[in-house]
């Protein structure tokens, strides 16, 4: 018997990433096939979301949620920023405080004025990577 989606998904650390991959596959398939969206949803769900059952009442292909939650990039950047702090010696309070001050002055003070990727580069001197996101979701060791 398949696990019910709503009651069990919180128990799986990688569920949010799995769900995002499912949504990407669904989006690609909806734009490259002539099949009805309900049939595409069922097919892609079974490929990406096993052992969870699809909920027939779920019409997320008609949802506007993505318009309000953003493009997902913020999760990757937040995880990468968190990872940068975690890489420092957390026992070295002056170094962590200095990094926090630099984060506040660089990233937080100019957020909304300068593009997020540029702020990230100014703060860490590099482009964002998936490493922190993968570590937080348990796919690689921190």
């Amino acid at each position: 018997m398949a696990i019910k989606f709503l009651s069990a998904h919180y128990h799986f650390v990688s569920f949010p990433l799995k769900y995002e991959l499912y949504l990407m596959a669904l989006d690609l398939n909806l734009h490259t096939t002539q099949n009805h969206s309900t049939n595409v949803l069922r097919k892609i769900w079974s490929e990406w979301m096993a052992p969870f059952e699809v909920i027939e009442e779920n019409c997320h292909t008609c949802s506007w949620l993505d318009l309000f939650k953003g493009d997902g990039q913020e999760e990757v950047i937040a995880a990468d920023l968190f990872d940068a702090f975690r890489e420092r010696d957390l026992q070295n309070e002056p170094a962590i405080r200095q990094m926090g001050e630099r984060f506040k002055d660089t990233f937080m003070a100019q957020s909304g004025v300068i593009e997020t990727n540029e702020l990230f580069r100014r703060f860490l001197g590099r482009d964002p990577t998936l490493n922190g996101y993968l570590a937080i979701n348990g796919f690689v060791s921190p």
Side-chain angles (χ1 to χ4, degrees):
M1 182 172 143
I3 300 170
K4 284 287 188 185
F5 168 73
L6 292 176
S7 63
H9 77 273
Y10 295 106
H11 299 289
F12 296 91
V13 173
S14 63
F15 184 86
L17 180 59
K18 183 176 182 138
Y19 190 70
E20 287 298 321
L21 292 170
Y22 153 74
L23 289 175
M24 291 181 342
L26 177 63
D27 191 41
L28 288 171
N29 279 273
L30 287 171
H31 289 86
T32 59
T33 184
Q34 297 296 318
N35 295 338
H36 189 275
S37 63
T38 304
N39 296 334
V40 173
L41 183 143
R42 286 187 185 125
K43 176 183 177 291
I44 301 303
W45 185 275
S46 68
E47 291 173 2
W48 285 88
M49 296 306 294
F52 303 104
E53 294 176 354
V54 68
I55 297 173
E56 295 301 323
E57 299 83 18
N58 186 349
C59 297
H60 63 267
T61 56
C62 302
S63 173
W64 283 29
L65 182 61
D66 289 332
L67 294 176
F68 301 104
K69 75 171 187 171
D71 60 5
Q73 181 182 12
E74 67 275 356
E75 289 180 56
V76 171
I77 289 176
D80 204 0
L81 287 168
F82 176 75
D83 209 37
F85 276 91
R86 191 171 54 185
E87 288 173 355
R88 303 293 189 265
D89 178 13
L90 296 179
Q91 303 307 314
N92 186 346
E93 189 175 325
I96 293 296
R97 183 177 304 279
Q98 181 183 25
M99 187 173 184
E101 288 292 325
R102 197 168 47 103
F103 175 75
K104 179 185 77 169
D105 295 340
T106 305
F107 206 92
M108 299 303 289
Q110 299 174 34
S111 183
V113 178
I114 298 173
E115 182 183 321
T116 304
N117 283 335
E118 177 58 28
L119 287 173
F120 191 95
R121 281 190 228 47
R122 289 180 185 182
F123 178 62
L124 289 178
R126 62 173 174 80
D127 287 330
T129 68
L130 288 172
N131 297 342
Y133 186 78
L134 293 173
I136 284 173
N137 284 289
F139 289 100
V140 295
S141 297

